[in-house]
């Protein structure tokens, strides 16, 4: 994608009283629901959505608290909160079953939704996702410290660009125009508040909270036989490839696994041509 290309048309819908921004592409085939990660938005799927829409009806949306969707102050932004939101979202669009394609935190949400509502999910595609192992990058763990979290959440556009590009193996794969769009969303105080609530409710200074991981693992039998494809960048600096892939293969022994080398945490952008195929 280059600077002259346009993102899909923004549309909005009310879900549980919240205004939610979404893209809807494709006229036929099964529905593919695409779920972004923490600090992300629809644009993180902009390299993939049109290619998938040649074969599927594709629904991309901003989670509450991110992008152009509402960011309610009274929401918990916990895994159960987002799981129930996802159910209402599908009901609102009158989607009974779908394939789910999800990245990072969105992958943890996809797994949580799938183990709680397995009848609503046909197939899973997970990218470098939360939910397999408790290991998490030190940056997110530090955000649990009250004396440092507010300092770390103050960032300029230049600092933000460095943070985002540190998540990919080749920084050139995340272009300036994408940085500009995502920065505008992430500099909002409401988005920063959402991120802090998610991090505080899901992790400690040491790791992901075991109680959060347990919400998924205790019900994993519900999706062990569900067709699942797991992608991971071997140079992922946020969710270490080795520990998470080992855990994923134990948890979902019937899944298919694809490893990208070299590739960081965002394969749908950094390795988009291989990923789309």
């Amino acid at each position: 994608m280059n600077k002259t290309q346009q993102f899909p048309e923004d549309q909005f819908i009310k879900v549980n009283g919240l205004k939610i921004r979404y893209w809807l592409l494709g006229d036929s085939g099964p529905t593919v629901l695409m779920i972004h990660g923490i600090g992300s938005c629809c644009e993180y799927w902009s390299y993939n959505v049109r290619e998938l829409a040649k074969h599927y009806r594709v629904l991309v949306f901003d989670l509450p608290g991110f992008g152009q969707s509402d960011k309610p102050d009274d929401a918990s932004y916990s895994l159960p909160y987002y799981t129930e939101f996802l159910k209402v979202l599908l009901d609102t669009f009158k989607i009974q079953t779908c394939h789910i394609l999800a990245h990072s935190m969105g992958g943890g949400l996809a797994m949580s939704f799938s183990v709680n509502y397995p009848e609503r999910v046909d197939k899973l595609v997970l990218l470098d996702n939360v939910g397999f192992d408790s290991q998490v990058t030190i940056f997110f763990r530090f955000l649990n410290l009250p004396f440092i979290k507010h300092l770390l959440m103050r960032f300029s556009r230049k600092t933000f660009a460095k943070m985002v590009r540190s998540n990919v193996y080749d920084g050139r794969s995340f272009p300036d125009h994408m940085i500009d769009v995502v920065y505008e969303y992430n500099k909002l105080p409401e988005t920063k508040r959402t991120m802090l609530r998610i991090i505080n409710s899901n992790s400690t200074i040491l790791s992901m909270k075991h109680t959060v991981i347990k919400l998924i693992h205790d019900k994993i039998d519900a999706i062990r036989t569900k067709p699942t494809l797991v992608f991971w960048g071997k140079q992922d600096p946020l969710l270490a490839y080795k520990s998470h892939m080992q855990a994923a293969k134990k948890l979902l022994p019937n899944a298919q696994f694809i490893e990208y080398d070299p590739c960081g945490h965002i394969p749908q952008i950094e390795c988009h041509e291989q990923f789309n195929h």
Side-chain angles (χ1 to χ4, degrees):
M1 178 174 290
N2 58 51
K3 286 187 177 182
T4 63
Q5 288 180 292
Q6 298 295 311
F7 295 121
E9 179 187 359
D10 289 337
Q11 300 183 68
F12 295 87
I13 193 170
K14 285 284 186 177
V15 180
N16 257 1
L18 301 178
K19 186 177 77 171
I20 300 298
R21 191 261 293 239
Y22 70 96
W23 298 340
L24 185 61
L25 293 87
D27 298 321
S28 61
T31 297
V32 175
L33 184 71
M34 305 175 83
I35 310 175
H36 66 74
I38 189 170
S40 304
C41 50
C42 289
E43 283 79 5
Y44 268 65
W45 299 111
S46 58
Y47 285 81
N48 324 112
V49 63
R50 287 190 175 90
E51 188 64 31
L52 289 175
K54 295 176 182 178
H55 310 280
Y56 302 96
R57 182 174 179 254
V58 182
L59 175 59
V60 188
F61 68 101
D62 287 339
L63 285 165
F66 295 106
Q68 294 184 46
S69 288
D70 279 349
K71 304 164 182 65
D73 184 51
D74 59 351
S76 68
Y77 300 107
S78 63
L79 191 58
Y81 167 82
Y82 277 128
T83 299
E84 292 309 306
F85 167 82
L86 199 55
K87 177 182 180 297
V88 179
L89 176 78
L90 292 180
D91 291 343
T92 302
F93 278 97
K94 295 181 171 55
I95 298 171
Q96 187 57 38
T97 61
C98 64
H99 306 315
I100 295 183
L101 197 165
H103 174 236
S104 195
M105 181 197 80
L109 170 56
M111 291 178 69
S112 174
F113 181 78
S114 299
V115 299
N116 283 284
Y117 299 101
E119 71 282 0
R120 306 292 299 267
V121 182
D122 291 324
K123 298 179 180 180
L124 276 172
V125 180
L126 306 171
L127 295 82
D128 294 65
N129 70 287
V130 169
F132 293 129
D133 187 67
S134 61
Q135 179 273 341
V136 68
T137 180
I138 194 169
F139 173 77
F140 287 134
R141 290 187 277 128
F142 271 3
L143 289 177
N144 284 285
L145 298 174
F147 59 89
I148 200 170
K149 64 184 180 182
H150 295 294
L151 178 64
L152 290 178
M153 291 300 284
R154 295 174 186 166
F155 43 75
S156 64
R157 193 267 185 204
K158 183 177 180 180
T159 300
F160 180 78
K162 287 182 178 179
M163 289 192 298
V164 171
R165 288 182 171 132
S166 71
N167 294 329
V168 293
Y169 180 78
D170 182 353
R172 295 170 298 179
S173 67
F174 210 105
D176 283 340
H177 73 281
M178 283 281 287
I179 293 288
D180 291 338
V181 170
V182 181
Y183 174 67
E184 288 302 311
Y185 298 146
N186 279 270
K187 74 178 184 180
L188 297 173
E190 298 88 348
T191 305
K192 294 178 181 180
R193 180 198 62 211
T194 300
M195 292 182 66
L196 288 174
R197 285 189 184 173
I198 290 173
I199 291 164
N200 294 160
S201 67
N202 290 287
S203 65
T204 70
I205 187 62
L206 298 175
S207 66
M208 286 286 294
K209 289 181 180 178
H210 292 289
T211 52
V212 175
I213 299 292
K214 196 171 185 291
L215 290 173
I216 297 172
H217 289 200
D218 280 356
K219 299 180 180 179
I220 200 66
D221 283 346
I223 62 168
R224 275 212 167 105
T225 59
K226 197 174 291 294
T228 303
L229 180 60
V230 179
F231 291 89
W232 222 281
K234 292 190 77 171
Q235 288 75 33
D236 187 336
L238 292 182
L239 302 172
Y241 156 80
K242 186 174 181 180
S243 62
H244 285 272
M245 281 295 273
Q246 285 178 347
K249 289 176 180 180
K250 281 186 177 181
L251 204 62
L252 297 173
N254 297 319
Q256 299 179 57
F257 296 90
I258 295 179
E259 304 162 359
Y260 288 135
D261 184 12
C263 186
H265 182 66
I266 318 175
Q268 74 271 30
I269 291 178
E270 187 169 13
C271 304
H272 60 272
E273 291 183 359
Q274 303 98 303
F275 173 76
N276 290 343
H277 175 73

